[in-house]
């Protein structure tokens, strides 16, 4: 059982959510020498500071990113994409790298409420802007309606494209889009699901749109 | 990615002054303006673009869409593609432009890509995009492996023995048909470039793609006043249904009176080394009855000078069908 | 068809138990695990496909800021070979360890590895390494010829003779057959392209190696890496908690895995290596290109008299992977004279490997296309031709099928699709100004089990934990294990913890062959039974227990409560209460079950079956082809979770649309590179291409597989779909495309 499970676990076992261990804690102690991954806090972030010596980044520049309502004052290599910055520096790994060239949609996040590809953005371009990642939409105990619809409709398989799909789907709610499935499918075509869960993705989005 | 200095100029003059120090505004530029980043960051990751300085122009207030005094439209260089496509006046008067943009890329990329950046969109030729390969556009004189290699998606119009790279833009095809004007500010002042003059054919200098010189900043694009009664359509043909560059596309504008075509503008995409305005097709349409025979003749005329490579002969017929059908559907709209 | 109680979770639409994590971004895939001091590795790729590496200039790269090291042959340290073992152990498709020699066998072969503090620095350093080669002409020729092939090739599932199946006199029967078909079908090289990039993070602690690895087989990866680093298996731990799918490409370790481990060993820090999308086309396997000659002979009434399936596939210079296109050929239809044989063509390409439905998927494209063309030649309905040649038993070995309902699949599919309304005349059917094409094809895939072990814990808080070192590749294995544990204990899914993807757990199967689900069932059930048996001993021995004086056999566990069978569950006690009374935190049971797939002396022929009916629309004036409707019927045993099961099959059909219409890895003739090595140029199906897909499961349990009669369904949905699509294309356009993918240029006539 991972640390975050322990933290988030309500006292009443009958109300407890499904437990899924992430490789640390009890199971980790089975093998000597195992290095556990660091626990994530409620915002989904990891504190790398305690033992990290801090990467040696020559020419690093300061930047303040506002992600999911939290300010992050960072020093980064100017080459760092918004995607790599969110994942590796801010440690929010819900946003995924699938192609790194704007060809799959897995890295979709919102900047000032609009969906963009974080792999084709430099982090420096977004100093001070409002960035939202999948972690900012909801948590397992308090899901965004789109997250809940994806769960109910089985709108994924492996789950790797799912963050990007959901970020696109949530943005789509505010975009000009016809009511029919074909319009949704066209506007969701920038998010590749190699597992092919497209029918269920459309069903989830339409379910949310009907209720909005 | 090559290390670079990231600069956010405070006004256009500072941006232009900084960019004017670049050796070139073409392939190999050591100073680059950064708009949406959808082309530039992609190519920087591939080391196809290796600027020493990157100038972020997103906060220069070039993001307005405004009516012009003559009834046309002024579109700022950093207006996002999605904002342009969904603008009420564009949807009403310049429908072909809205359709072209919405047929391009994905919703996310359209939210990022700028008008100015789209004018400068680079080819998707796989040899250009891979620095391990030879490419006359990337390294003049190194050769063109596409001519004897994988060229299914490459150009059939405007090619040279040095380069057959396709211009991939959808937006530009519509702007060519709309006869847009590009407004440039440079270190020597500002100037206007008509759309047809902006992009260059590869010829012997495929590394030169536009008329831009170091320091030139595209500030905005203007569209002429809408043509009254113009029937417009953008049709894009590709392998899959979405999120793919065109194998062939057509932007058409027709004005028809009493069954005859009184005004025609035609441009093709996915087939040319630049956004391909077709005066041949326009001539074939002008004054003719708006019927299938005329449309097919226009398409024949547009592709008369097409030259196929080993894998893309089909694009000639595909482009003909694309244009014929676009004209037909526009005439019926 | 179910025998379990109405409260059983088996066979119910069950949302994924890991779903809340997946939709909130908290599911941790390999590259999401972060460690203090972690470094980033980026490999340097060879830019020739054949030749020798003469020199490497790493000076500039090493001087770059943030760079810790540039590794190559001289400084990487020892990496040993992993050698084949019997069965599914120590499997990897590229046996040569990275940097073992200076011979370049394929474009993109790793020749160095840059490691730096940041990804940006590591990438820049990798790009700055300069290599000098002695380049030789590379052969990536698409047209295939059989080479000097061994008489027998050795595969993970046993030896396969070059003439892999033969009965009767196929040549003679073909020569005298009144109706014949002789055509060659080609499938291109395809790249798996799971959306998750292959990734490995390696951590050393003394002689202990921990690998977070995007693998479909943690147990196999442990064996391979232990041998590569000369370690006892106990010193290696492989973790794969969430997998961004793999489609076979992540079954076995590729060369980046030992590279990450070796770099971490040399630097004494965790090293993360994420393979780029471009590298995914070069160095982590692909589905072989195949060229398959089909000869079918039949009577005028449509009874098959001869079937010859002679195929050639391409393979790398180093590998030994067998693309078994003849897998389903010998048993699918009744035919007295048959031959399936193969040849191999070596190319300067990366290794070929299993890809979703390996062998059978390209094989069935050929055999089912040939059946459709034969039906045309006979002027017979293609469904009718199949019904006419339905076998009573597996004619390749004389065994009865454990459970075969192919005829029902065809009938149900035809009915649901409305096949009876098909006008066979080319281009004759129209809707909304579009020409319709209707086509169909059959499908088959292996069934059976791998070896598997699991354990089940019942805990004093009333929760259950079930653990197995298998993985969830996206097929819903977490949920299946929760369902199985719930079925046995009556504990609701919310109170069941599932742990997978860790080689420290009881050895589980690879997520491959569509065998994981069928394999874990008996292991989990046995483990649960053993845990319950322990619990019942506690019940009859613990002071103060209400069950003192009873024998364990008198008791039972249902709905999470222990009770006396004779008294019924009404007076039962929650097992957590009893454990607390006994001051026992938990009881654990272990279970295992043996491998039955590919067993030497099977009693039955075990396979899944199915069929697809496809509608395409064709708009000739703009050469636009789209798949508009698919009906798929599957005879794949009992379906444990129809919600995820339908999704699996729909997803396979979506991939099949890609196989039929879009996907092809193209090798550049000049330098041997996979030239379309990205997701813009190697096209996969997008949302707008995916039509409505109506999936029906016949749901007949196959009790020869396991006690629930469940088989896996990860692969069969992709079998046959390309043949059904090309048949529909022919019906609409009159063009028979025999080389995939169908492209606009094929139809622009």
């Amino acid at each position: 059982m991972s640390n975050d499970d322990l933290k988030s676990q309500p006292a009443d076992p009958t109300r407890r959510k499904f437990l899924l261990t992430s490789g640390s804690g009890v199971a980790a102690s089975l093998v000597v020498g195992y290095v556990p991954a660091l626990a994530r806090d409620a915002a989904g972030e990891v504190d790398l500071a305690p033992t990290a010596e801090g990467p040696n980044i020559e020419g690093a520049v300061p930047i303040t990113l506002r992600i999911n309502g939290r300010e992050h004052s960072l020093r980064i290599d100017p080459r760092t994409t918004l995607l790599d910055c969110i994942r590796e520096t801010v440690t929010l790994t819900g946003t995924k790298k699938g192609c790194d060239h704007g060809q799959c949609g897995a890295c979709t996040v919102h900047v000032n409420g609009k969906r963009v590809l974080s792999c084709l953005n430099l982090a420096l371009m977004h100093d001070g802007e409002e960035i939202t990642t999948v972690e900012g939409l909801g948590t397992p105990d308090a899901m965004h309606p789109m997250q809940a619809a994806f769960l109910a409709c089985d709108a994924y398989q492996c789950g790797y494209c799912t963050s990007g799909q959901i970020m696109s789907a949530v943005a789509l709610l505010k975009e000009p889009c016809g009511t029919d499935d074909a319009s949704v499918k066209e506007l969701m075509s920038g998010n590749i699901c190699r597992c092919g869960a497209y029918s269920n993705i459309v069903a989830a989005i339409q379910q949310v749109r009907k209720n909005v | 990615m090559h290390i670079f200095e990231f600069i956010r100029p405070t006004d256009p003059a500072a941006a232009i002054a900084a960019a004017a120090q670049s050796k070139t505004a073409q392939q190999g530029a050591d100073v680059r303006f950064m708009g949406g980043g959808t082309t530039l960051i992609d190519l920087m990751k591939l080391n196809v673009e290796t600027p020493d300085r990157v100038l972020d122009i997103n906060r220069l207030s070039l993001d307005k869409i405004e009516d012009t005094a003559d009834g046309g439209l002024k579109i700022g260089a950093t207006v996002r593609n999605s904002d342009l496509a969904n603008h009420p006046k564009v949807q009403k008067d310049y429908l072909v432009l809205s359709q072209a943009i919405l047929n391009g890329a994905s919703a996310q990329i359209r939210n990022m890509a700028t008008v100015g950046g789209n004018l400068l969109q680079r080819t998707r030729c796989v040899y250009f995009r891979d620095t391990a390969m030879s490419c006359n556009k990337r390294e003049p004189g190194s050769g063109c492996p596409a001519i004897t290699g994988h060229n299914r998606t490459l150009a059939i119009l405007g090619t040279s023995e040095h380069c057959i790279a396709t211009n991939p833009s959808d937006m530009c095809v519509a702007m060519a048909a709309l006869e847009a004007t590009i407004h440039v500010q440079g270190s020597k002042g500002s100037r206007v470039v008509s759309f047809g003059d902006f992009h260059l054919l590869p010829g012997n200098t495929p590394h030169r793609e536009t008329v831009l010189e170091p320091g030139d900043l595209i500030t905005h694009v203007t569209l002429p006043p809408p043509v009254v009664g113009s029937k417009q359509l953008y049709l894009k043909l590709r392998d899959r249904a979405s999120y793919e560059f065109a194998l062939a596309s057509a932007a058409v504008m027709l004005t028809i009176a009493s069954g005859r075509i009184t005004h025609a503008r035609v441009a093709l995409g996915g087939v040319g080394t630049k956004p391909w305005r077709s005066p041949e097709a326009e001539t074939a349409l002008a004054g003719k009855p708006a019927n299938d025979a005329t449309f097919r003749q226009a398409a024949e005329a547009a592709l008369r000078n097409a030259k196929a490579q080993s894998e893309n002969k089909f694009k000639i017929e595909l482009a003909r069908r694309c244009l014929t059908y676009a004209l037909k559907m526009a005439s019926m709209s | 068809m179910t025998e379990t109680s109405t409260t059983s979770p088996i066979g119910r639409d069950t949302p994924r138990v890991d779903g809340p994590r997946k939709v909130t971004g908290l599911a941790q895939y390999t590259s999401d695990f972060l460690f203090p001091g972690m470094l980033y590795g980026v490999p340097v790729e060879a830019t020739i496909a054949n030749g020798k590496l003469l020199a490497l200039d790493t000076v500039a790269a090493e001087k770059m800021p943030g760079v810790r090291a540039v590794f190559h042959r001289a400084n990487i340290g020892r990496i040993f070979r992993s050698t084949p073992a019997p069965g599914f152990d120590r499997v990897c498709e590229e046996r040569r360890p990275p940097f073992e020699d200076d011979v370049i066998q394929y474009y993109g072969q790793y020749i160095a590895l840059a490691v730096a503090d940041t990804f940006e620095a590591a990438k820049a350093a990798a790009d700055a390494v300069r290599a000098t080669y002695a380049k030789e002409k590379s052969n990536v020729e698409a047209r295939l010829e059989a080479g000097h092939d061994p008489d027998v090739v050795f595969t993970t599932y046993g030896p396969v003779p070059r003439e892999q199946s033969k009965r009767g006199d196929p040549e003679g029967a073909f020569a005298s057959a009144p109706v014949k078909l002789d055509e060659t079908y080609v499938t291109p090289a395809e790249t798996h392209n799971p959306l998750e990039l292959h990734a490995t993070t390696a951590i050393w602690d003394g002689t202990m190696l921990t690998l977070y690895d995007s693998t479909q087989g943690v147990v196999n990866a442990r064996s391979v890496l232990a041998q590569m680093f000369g370690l006892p298996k106990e010193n290696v731990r492989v973790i794969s908690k969430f997998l961004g799918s793999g489609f076979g490409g992540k079954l076995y370790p590729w060369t980046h895995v030992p590279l990450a481990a070796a770099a971490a060993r040399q630097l004494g820090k965790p090293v993360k290596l994420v393979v780029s999308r471009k590298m995914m086309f070069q160095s982590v396997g692909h589905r072989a290109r195949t060229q398959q000659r089909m000869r079918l002979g039949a009577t005028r009434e449509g009874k098959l008299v001869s079937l010859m399936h002679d195929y050639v596939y391409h393979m790398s210079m180093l590998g030994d992977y067998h693309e078994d296109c003849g897998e389903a050929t010998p048993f699918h239809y009744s035919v007295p004279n048959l031959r399936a044989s193969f040849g191999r063509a070596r190319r300067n390409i990366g290794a070929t490997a299993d890809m979703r439905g390996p062998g059978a998927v390209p094989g069935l494209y050929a055999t089912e296309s040939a059946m459709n063309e034969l039906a045309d030649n006979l002027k017979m309905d293609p469904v009718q031709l199949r019904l006419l040649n339905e076998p009573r038993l597996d004619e390749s070995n004389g065994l009865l099928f454990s459970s075969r309902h192919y005829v029902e699949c065809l009938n149900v599919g035809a009915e649901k699709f409305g096949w009876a309304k098909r006008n066979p005349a080319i281009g004759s059917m129209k809707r909304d100004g579009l020409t319709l094409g209707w086509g169909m094809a059959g499908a088959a895939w292996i069934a059976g089990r791998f070896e598997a072990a699991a354990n089940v814990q019942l805990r004093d808080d009333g929760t259950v934990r079930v653990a197995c070192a298998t993985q969830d590749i996206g097929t819903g294995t977490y949920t299946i294990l929760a369902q199985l544990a719930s079925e046995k204990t009556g504990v609701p899914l919310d109170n069941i913890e599932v742990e997978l993807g860790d080689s420290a757990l009881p050895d589980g199967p690879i997520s491959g062959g569509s065998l994981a689900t069928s394999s874990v069932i008996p292991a989990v059930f046995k483990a649960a039974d053993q845990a319950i048996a322990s619990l019942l001993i506690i019940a009859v021995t613990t002071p103060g227990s209400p069950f003192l004086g009873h024998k364990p056999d008198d008791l039972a566990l249902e709905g999470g409560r222990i009770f006396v069978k004779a008294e019924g569950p009404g007076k039962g006690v929650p097992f957590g209460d009893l454990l607390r009374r006994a001051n026992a935190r938990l009881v654990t049971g272990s279970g295992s079950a043996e491998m039955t797939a590919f067993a030497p002396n099977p009693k039955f022929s075990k396979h899944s079956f199915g069929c697809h009916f496809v509608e395409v629309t064709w708009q000739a004036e703009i050469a636009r082809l789209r798949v508009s409707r698919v009906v798929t019927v599957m005879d794949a045993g009992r379906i444990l979770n129809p919600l995820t099961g339908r999704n699996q099959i729909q997803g396979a059909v979506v991939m099949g649309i890609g196989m039929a219409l879009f996907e092809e890895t193209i090798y550049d003739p000049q330098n041997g590179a996979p030239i379309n090595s990205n997701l813009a140029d190697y096209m996969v199906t997008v949302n707008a291409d995916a039509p409505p897909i109506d999936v029906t499961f016949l749901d007949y349990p196959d009790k020869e597989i396991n006690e629930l009669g469940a088989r896996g369904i990860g692969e069969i949905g992709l079998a046959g779909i390309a043949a059904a699509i090309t048949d529909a294309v022919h019906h609409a356009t009159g063009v028979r495309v025999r080389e995939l993918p169908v492209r606009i240029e094929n139809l622009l006539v």
Side-chain angles (χ1 to χ4, degrees), chain C residues 483-520:
Chain C
Q483 287 176 283
L484 296 175
S486 176
E487 168 76 2
K488 274 288 180 182
T489 62
V491 170
L493 296 175
D494 275 357
N495 281 344
I496 294 173
E497 175 186 354
V498 182
E499 181 137 23
L500 307 176
D502 185 339
S503 65
L505 304 171
D507 284 6
I510 55 170
S511 298
S514 298
L515 300 178
T517 293
S518 58
S519 306
V520 297

Side-chain angles (χ1 to χ4, degrees), chain B residues 156-157 235 237 248-250 252 254 261 264 266-268 271 276 278-286 288 291-306 315-328, chain C residues 621-622:
Chain B
I156 52 175
L157 288 165
L235 176 66
L237 303 182
S249 71
V252 301
L254 288 179
I261 300 163
V266 171
L268 299 175
V271 289
W276 201 260
S278 179
E280 299 89 345
E282 292 169 9
T283 304
L285 292 164
K288 303 283 176 17
N291 61 30
D292 288 359
T294 301
F295 301 147
R296 181 71 194 183
Q297 280 162 17
E300 299 284 351
L303 276 301
R304 191 154 294 140
N305 294 322
K315 288 178 76 171
I316 299 176
E317 175 57 16
L318 189 70
R320 282 193 199 113
R321 291 195 194 182
C322 182
L323 180 53
T324 305
Y325 191 72
L327 290 165
K328 177 179 163 187
Chain C
E621 49 197 339
I622 51 171

Side-chain angles (χ1 to χ4, degrees), chain A residues 1-2 4-5 9 13-24 27-38 40-41 43-44 46-48 51-58 77 79-81 84-85 87-89 91-100 103-104 106 134-135 138-140 143 146-148 150-163 165-166 182 184-186 188-202, chain C residues 14-29 31-38 40 64-68 117-121 124 191-197 203-205 208 210 212 234 237 239 241-245 247 269 272 274 277 355-356 459 461 463 465 472-475 478 482 493-499 502 504-505 585 643-644 647-652 654-655 663 678-680 682 684-693:
Chain A
M1 188 182 310
S2 68
D4 47 335
D5 282 329
Q9 187 183 317
T14 60
R15 284 180 52 239
R16 203 164 63 169
K17 297 289 173 205
F18 165 74
L19 305 174
L20 195 72
T21 56
S22 62
S24 50
S29 63
L30 291 174
V31 170
V32 179
Y34 169 78
V35 180
L38 293 167
R40 287 170 187 280
D41 66 14
V46 173
D47 185 6
L48 287 174
T51 44
E53 31 193 278
N56 160 31
I57 307 173
E58 198 174 290
D77 186 316
R79 295 171 292 189
T80 312
T81 60
D84 287 324
C85 184
R87 286 181 51 80
E88 309 293 337
T89 311
T91 74
L92 288 170
T93 54
T95 306
K96 303 299 188 216
K97 184 183 282 189
C99 73
D100 217 15
Q103 300 163 352
C104 78
V134 70
E135 293 93 340
T139 63
M143 284 187 248
M146 192 63 77
Q147 292 172 318
F150 266 63
L151 176 67
C153 296
D154 206 46
Y156 48 52
Q157 286 176 31
C158 77
Y160 196 80
C161 74
T162 305
S163 302
Q165 300 279 359
I166 288 174
V184 174
K185 290 172 80 66
E186 166 57 29
M188 289 300 292
S189 283
N191 289 83
I192 288 172
C193 172
R194 183 58 161 158
C195 299
Y198 293 128
S199 303
N200 292 354
I201 290 168
V202 174
Chain C
T14 307
R16 291 170 204 254
V17 296
D18 49 338
R21 288 197 166 221
K22 285 185 172 174
V23 300
T24 55
L26 297 180
Q28 283 187 281
Y29 300 78
S31 65
D32 299 341
F33 288 94
L34 304 173
F35 302 91
M38 186 175 77
Y40 295 80
M64 293 175 117
V67 174
R68 297 293 181 112
D117 285 347
T118 64
F119 170 70
E120 292 74 28
T191 301
H192 305 79
N193 277 313
L195 214 51
E196 181 198 24
L197 302 165
I203 304 155
W204 286 86
D205 182 0
M208 308 295 303
T210 303
Y212 286 80
E234 309 81 73
R237 184 171 181 192
I239 294 167
K241 283 291 163 188
F242 281 93
L243 198 57
S245 204
F247 308 112
K269 286 184 175 297
K272 169 153 110 177
V274 181
R277 182 58 61 184
M355 177 170 165
R356 198 176 202 176
R459 303 191 292 207
D461 55 4
T463 66
R465 174 188 185 269
D472 192 334
I473 187 178
T475 48
Y478 275 114
L493 296 175
D494 275 357
N495 281 344
I496 294 173
E497 175 186 354
V498 182
E499 181 137 23
D502 185 339
L505 304 171
R585 165 65 177 134
L643 178 69
T644 52
N647 193 348
Q648 272 290 293
I649 300 298
Q650 287 176 341
V654 167
M655 188 178 274
E663 294 185 39
N678 63 77
L679 290 178
Y682 181 99
V684 301
T685 315
V686 296
N687 202 322
D689 294 302
I693 302 162

Side-chain angles (χ1 to χ4, degrees), chain B residues 167-191:
Chain B
N167 182 295
S169 173
D170 291 299
M171 184 199 81
C172 286
V173 183
M175 285 205 174
L178 286 165
E179 301 182 292
T181 302
I182 298 163
H183 298 252
V184 177
Q185 266 182 41
S187 41
K188 292 174 205 150
S190 57
R191 66 187 196 279

Side-chain angles (χ1 to χ4, degrees), chain B residues 1 45 47 124 126-127 130 132-133 145 148-150 152 235-244 247 311 314 317-318 321 325 328, chain C residues 47 107 123-124 127 278 619-624 626 662 666 668 670-671 673 675 680-681 683-684 686 688-689 743-745 748-749:
Chain B
M1 198 185 287
K45 287 183 181 187
N47 296 318
R124 303 295 303 189
V126 291
Y127 300 95
D130 190 339
M133 310 285 166
T148 48
H150 178 49
R152 175 175 184 265
L235 176 66
K236 181 172 179 178
L237 303 182
R238 43 187 162 183
D239 292 305
R240 68 185 179 191
S242 186
Y243 204 13
E244 185 189 355
L247 288 169
E311 294 179 345
F314 76 100
E317 175 57 16
L318 189 70
R321 291 195 194 182
Y325 191 72
K328 177 179 163 187
Chain C
T47 56
Y107 194 98
K123 177 71 169 72
D127 291 344
K278 177 164 177 277
Q619 194 174 2
E621 49 197 339
I622 51 171
R624 180 176 282 170
R626 299 284 183 254
F662 308 132
I666 297 163
D668 185 64
Q670 295 146 107
N671 53 39
I675 196 70
D681 292 300
M683 275 183 302
V684 301
V686 296
D689 294 302
R743 292 196 186 276
I744 288 173
E745 47 266 49
L748 206 65
V749 287

